[in-house]
């Protein structure tokens, strides 16, 4: 949480020299403002939603009306979203405008109906990996996306994991063996298998038991073991990197931190190289 005493007062003219990055996440909206050049002050904060029962776009809309910094005309605006679904597709098979074909239709289950009471239909988005021949196809809240697109002059969308993934890809170019990146977020875990900078495989899993750290760790452990066996990874030559979020309400971030620490305890006797650290999607320049 940023010190409100350092909160900048920007005019519309001054905002043209800054970029805005936003991340809807657990319980609220994280955002950061950075100067395009080195002149100027960076600022970041987290705004909690007033209610968790309203549709996502309504909760975001309310914050935009409350905080004037969010509605200024910035030089660039980046949306880092947490996808409802995600899959990895070879570029030669991906046809522009038909991304939704790669996503699973929402099932008419009791859980899906519960989710539909809070959200609207989803929109298919894509994100191409730099220096790769693969792209992610992802689903996110359609009404929230269209609200932000209408409200902001310029909007570039990226999945929330993009900064951490690029950092770990760069790291694996300098190391040997595979690295399994396990990125925790509220009610989901995203797993990326990396080798020498290449993203070899990806999968995302819903966390069913999400109230206790040990239950979350046990469930994630199941997915790690399944991936480890499927790709015949080595407990001595290959690596696991577990990351948990800094951004979000404290109740959730503390729970995921404790889950990551429990996961380390479960893994350390079986895998030689296990690293646990926090990740921050929105970085100050």
């Amino acid at each position: 949480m940023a010190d409100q005493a350092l909160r900048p007062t920007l005019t519309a003219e001054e905002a043209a020299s800054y970029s805005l990055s936003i991340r809807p996440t657990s319980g609220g909206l994280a955002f950061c403002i950075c100067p395009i050049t080195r002149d100027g002050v960076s600022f970041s904060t987290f705004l909690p939603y007033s209610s968790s029962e309203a549709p996502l776009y309504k909760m975001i809309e309310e914050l935009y009306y409350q905080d004037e910094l969010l509605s200024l005309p910035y030089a660039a605006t980046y949306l880092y979203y947490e996808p409802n679904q995600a899959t990895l597709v070879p570029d030669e098979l991906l046809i522009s405008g038909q991304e939704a074909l790669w996503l699973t239709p929402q099932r008419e289950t009791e859980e899906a109906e519960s989710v539909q009471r809070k959200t609207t239909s989803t929109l298919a988005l894509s994100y191409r990996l730099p220096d790769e021949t693969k792209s992610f196809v992802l689903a996110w809240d359609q009404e929230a996306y269209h609200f932000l697109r209408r409200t902001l002059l310029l909007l570039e969308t990226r999945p929330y994991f993009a900064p951490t993934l690029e950092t770990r890809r760069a790291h694996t170019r300098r190391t040997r063996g595979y690295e399994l990146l396990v990125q925790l977020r509220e009610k989901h875990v995203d797993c990326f298998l990396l080798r020498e900078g290449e993203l070899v495989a990806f999968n995302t899993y819903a966390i069913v038991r999400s109230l206790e750290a040990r239950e979350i760790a046990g469930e994630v452990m199941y997915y790690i073991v399944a991936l480890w066996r499927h790709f015949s990874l080595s407990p001595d030559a290959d690596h696991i990197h577990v990351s948990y979020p800094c951004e979000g309400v404290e109740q959730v971030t503390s729970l995921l931190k404790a889950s990551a620490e429990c996961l380390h305890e479960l893994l350390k006797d079986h895998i030689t190289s296990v690293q646990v650290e926090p990740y921050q999607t929105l970085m100050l320049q």
Side-chain angles (χ1 to χ4, degrees):
M1 180 73 73
D3 185 348
Q4 292 296 321
L6 300 177
R7 182 184 178 87
T9 54
L10 296 178
T11 64
E13 183 178 358
E14 291 169 335
S17 300
Y18 286 78
S19 68
L20 170 69
S21 297
I22 59 176
R23 181 191 174 195
T25 187
S26 58
L29 182 75
F31 76 90
C32 107
I33 299 167
C34 296
I36 300 298
T37 63
R38 293 191 177 184
D39 298 327
V41 177
S42 298
F43 170 79
S44 68
T45 192
F46 178 78
L47 303 175
Y49 298 135
S50 60
S51 169
S52 61
E53 298 302 317
L56 178 60
Y57 87 95
K58 283 290 187 183
M59 295 189 288
I60 295 175
E61 183 181 46
E62 181 180 359
L63 294 180
Y64 264 75
Y65 290 138
Q66 289 178 1
D67 198 308
E68 67 280 1
L69 283 178
L70 290 170
S71 57
L72 292 172
Y74 294 96
T77 305
Y78 305 99
L79 165 65
Y80 291 91
Y81 59 94
E82 297 185 8
N84 305 325
Q85 291 185 54
T87 189
L88 193 63
V89 181
D91 285 344
E92 65 267 21
L93 299 180
L94 189 60
I95 301 174
S96 179
Q98 298 186 20
E99 291 86 355
L101 296 176
W102 292 94
L103 300 174
T104 304
Q106 190 172 17
R107 295 182 176 90
E108 293 298 327
T109 62
E110 182 177 343
E111 181 180 359
E113 292 171 0
S114 174
V115 171
Q116 286 177 341
R117 285 195 288 269
K118 294 184 182 181
T119 63
T120 58
S121 58
T122 57
L123 177 72
L125 300 169
S126 63
Y127 173 70
R128 191 178 189 279
L129 286 166
D131 307 318
E132 277 270 15
T133 58
K134 310 179 189 75
S135 295
F136 286 98
V137 174
L138 316 103
W140 196 58
D141 187 281
Q142 182 169 267
E143 288 196 341
Y145 172 84
H146 286 309
F147 167 75
L148 292 170
R149 180 64 75 183
R150 292 192 305 268
T151 305
L152 303 167
L153 293 178
L154 300 170
L155 182 66
E156 183 175 333
T157 61
R158 300 170 180 173
Y160 85 100
F161 54 69
T164 305
L165 179 57
E166 287 311 299
T167 298
R168 300 315 303 173
R169 286 181 66 205
H171 174 78
T172 60
R173 292 188 183 100
R174 306 188 300 269
T175 58
R176 294 183 177 181
Y178 288 91
E179 175 177 291
L180 182 60
L181 169 60
V182 179
Q183 193 148 340
L184 301 176
R185 56 183 169 114
E186 186 179 27
K187 297 182 180 180
H188 287 83
V189 57
D190 299 307
C191 298
F192 311 81
L193 185 61
L194 306 168
R195 183 179 175 88
E196 297 178 355
E198 179 188 0
L199 178 56
V200 178
F202 162 79
N203 213 337
T204 183
Y205 305 96
I207 298 175
V208 179
R209 298 179 178 180
S210 57
L211 298 178
E212 299 288 340
R214 289 198 171 276
E215 289 184 342
I216 293 173
E219 192 169 337
V220 174
M221 182 72 172
Y222 171 82
Y223 299 130
I224 289 175
V225 170
L227 290 169
W228 205 265
R229 290 176 175 172
H230 179 78
F231 290 98
S232 301
L233 302 181
S234 166
D236 299 314
D238 299 318
H239 320 273
I240 293 182
H241 185 94
V242 181
S243 59
Y244 59 89
C246 294
E247 298 146 337
V249 291
E250 184 177 357
Q251 179 182 1
V252 174
T253 56
S254 297
L255 175 62
L256 293 178
K257 178 182 179 181
S259 302
E261 292 170 348
C262 288
L263 194 55
H264 180 266
E265 291 300 310
L266 293 172
L267 289 166
K268 68 179 185 179
D269 293 333
H270 307 284
I271 310 296
T272 302
S273 176
V274 181
Q275 184 180 12
V276 174
E277 68 176 12
Y279 68 86
Q280 185 168 347
T281 299
L282 308 183
M283 302 297 291
L284 295 176
Q285 296 176 351

